[in-house]
Amino acid sequence: METYMMSIGGQPVQAERTFGVVNPATGEVFARVPAGDTAHLDSAVAAARAAFPAWSRTPDADRQAAVHALAGVLERHMPELMDLVTRETGKPLGGLNGVGAGMEVGGAIAWTHVTADLSLPVEVIQDNEQARVEVHRKPLGVVGSITPWNWPLMIAIWHVMPALRAGNTVVLKPSELTPVATLRFVELASGVLPPGVLNVISAERDAGVGEAMATHPGIDKIVFTGSTPTGRRIMAAAAGNLKRLTLELGGNDAGIVLPDANPEALAARLFGVGFHNNGQTCACLKRLYVHDSLYEPLCQALARLARDAVVGDGLQADTQLGPVQNARQRDYVHALVEDARAQGARVLSGGQLPEGAGYFYPPTVLADVRDGMRVVDEEQFGPVLPVIRYSDIDEVIARANDNPNGLGGSLWSSDPARAAALAPRLECGSVWINEHGAIQPDAPFGGVKQSGIGVEFGRYGLEEYTTIQTVKIMKS
Ligand code: NAD
């Protein structure tokens, strides 16, 4: 069994102990990683601080080239990284609608190239006989990145690449459940970046490394993707040195199918955006509101797709949906389904805990579900889709908005212009028409309300890794 290493100051680092990483398809440990601690964090922050002056002064074109070179590293090691992502997350190599480890590593490559090509030129606000006023973007210093288990490598790339591109140095802490592909990537990146520019620490949950990052005086910004409760704790802990924050937190995205939609034409797409990666994506469709006139045919079409989906070990070529990433999450999803069933929901597919090894759960479509049931009100983050009936558009928009989350939302219609006209009424950071969760590296993405603070991707995302300096040059 392979043991992976942390990278601190450009060197591979082992800890006194290691811990096992479980393959959720088998329930067995497949790799070991160092059990890092807060002393490792202090070393990593010191290495990142030491590397910052030179990296931040590196000519922009050289930093751009370095980020493109990191994309090259990902490209050259794509099969190995895909294999690690599948083993640690359970997501298939291919997956439903091509959403799997191939998309995770391929997406990481694409995001890296696009981010490398971004730039933040000096903006001239005024240039006349009195004065010239320029707005410069400067890096912040050391960025601490904390990532979740659902898209571990891709989300690490989303944090690291804009941070480096803007001239910051980074200390990265992956989820204790899925650290392997990230450790391997940073090890490979050491061949491209100067020592200390990118450091990574693996740690068990109770080692307190995440908490220590949030309070660390040597870290200038935290970029965090994970649950809303953890985001709240980080925000409180980060107050000590007024850390800058980007928080990408939970979502409970609603989709609204308008009465003019064609249920047969939409069913497969709706199923895909609700169930790919087993629903373990922040911006998956998590609540589907369907107009009364289409309700029953659409529910039945979704249930048929759920029953036909191929669930299995993600390493097998034809698997569409793998296991849930961990036992706790699987049990939570099942508890939500049981709660809904007890309150009168119709279980049209799935809903049973399977026997055998691994954390599998069948794709589950629930009908006759109401707002107020836990499976609707809470973020399930698993392979279950509650389908909720509505009859009035004003009422359904109010119901979609009646949730503390505000990550994404979607409207489904045969008349995209009619649907787009309703978009401003949804309280969420992204609205998709006849799509859901369709992010791209050049368009900003982030949550409103309790789904987060700030955005990622494109120029807007890059700006979050900088501070503004205004320079006024008097001419007379
Ligand atoms: P989590 O909050 O349990 O853990 C995320 C990370 O935070 C892990 O690395 C963990 O070790 C660390 N952590 C835990 N407690 C901490 C603390 N007190 N201080 C600092 N770090 C701490 O989240 P998870 O279960 O890994 O991920 C699932 C959640 O992430 C879901 O709610 C999902 O919606 C959300 N998510 C959001 C986005 C987005 O872009 N908005 C993307 C993916 C996932």
Side-chain angles (χ1 to χ4, degrees), residues 146-151 155 158 173-176 205 210-211 214 224-228 230-231 233-234 248-251 281-282 286 379 381 407 445 451 456:
I146 304 176
T147 56
W149 48 257
N150 58 337
W151 291 90
I155 291 174
W158 289 352
K173 190 204 80 65
S175 167
E176 55 281 0
R205 182 67 208 83
E211 288 85 342
F224 169 75
T225 302
S227 66
T228 303
T230 306
R233 275 182 224 117
I234 289 175
E248 296 290 357
L249 308 178
T281 298
C282 51
K286 291 175 182 146
E379 180 186 28
F381 218 60
L407 193 57
F445 171 70
S451 284
E456 298 188 271

Side-chain angles (χ1 to χ4, degrees), residues 143-199:
V143 171
S145 150
I146 304 176
T147 56
W149 48 257
N150 58 337
W151 291 90
L153 182 65
M154 179 114 93
I155 291 174
I157 294 301
W158 289 352
H159 293 182
V160 166
M161 296 308 165
L164 297 181
R165 178 71 191 88
N168 303 278
T169 54
V170 178
V171 176
L172 171 57
K173 190 204 80 65
S175 167
E176 55 281 0
L177 295 169
T178 55
V180 181
T182 308
L183 290 178
R184 178 69 179 128
F185 165 67
V186 179
E187 182 185 8
L188 294 166
S190 301
V192 168
L193 295 169
V197 167
L198 176 59
N199 310 274

Side-chain angles (χ1 to χ4, degrees), residues 269-276 278-280 284-286 382-385:
R269 207 184 286 179
L270 285 164
F271 181 75
V273 298
F275 285 93
H276 61 222
N278 262 333
Q280 302 166 118
C284 257
L285 175 64
K286 291 175 182 146
V384 55
L385 184 64

Side-chain angles (χ1 to χ4, degrees), residues 140 221 245-246 453-455 459-466:
L140 293 159
K221 176 192 171 96
L245 294 173
T246 300
I453 293 179
V455 294
R459 178 173 62 80
Y460 298 95
L462 187 60
E463 285 177 356
E464 300 223 357
Y465 293 89
T466 66

Side-chain angles (χ1 to χ4, degrees), residues 250-271:
N252 194 354
D253 287 13
I256 300 173
V257 181
L258 299 177
D260 67 0
N262 176 346
E264 283 306 317
L266 290 185
R269 207 184 286 179
L270 285 164
F271 181 75

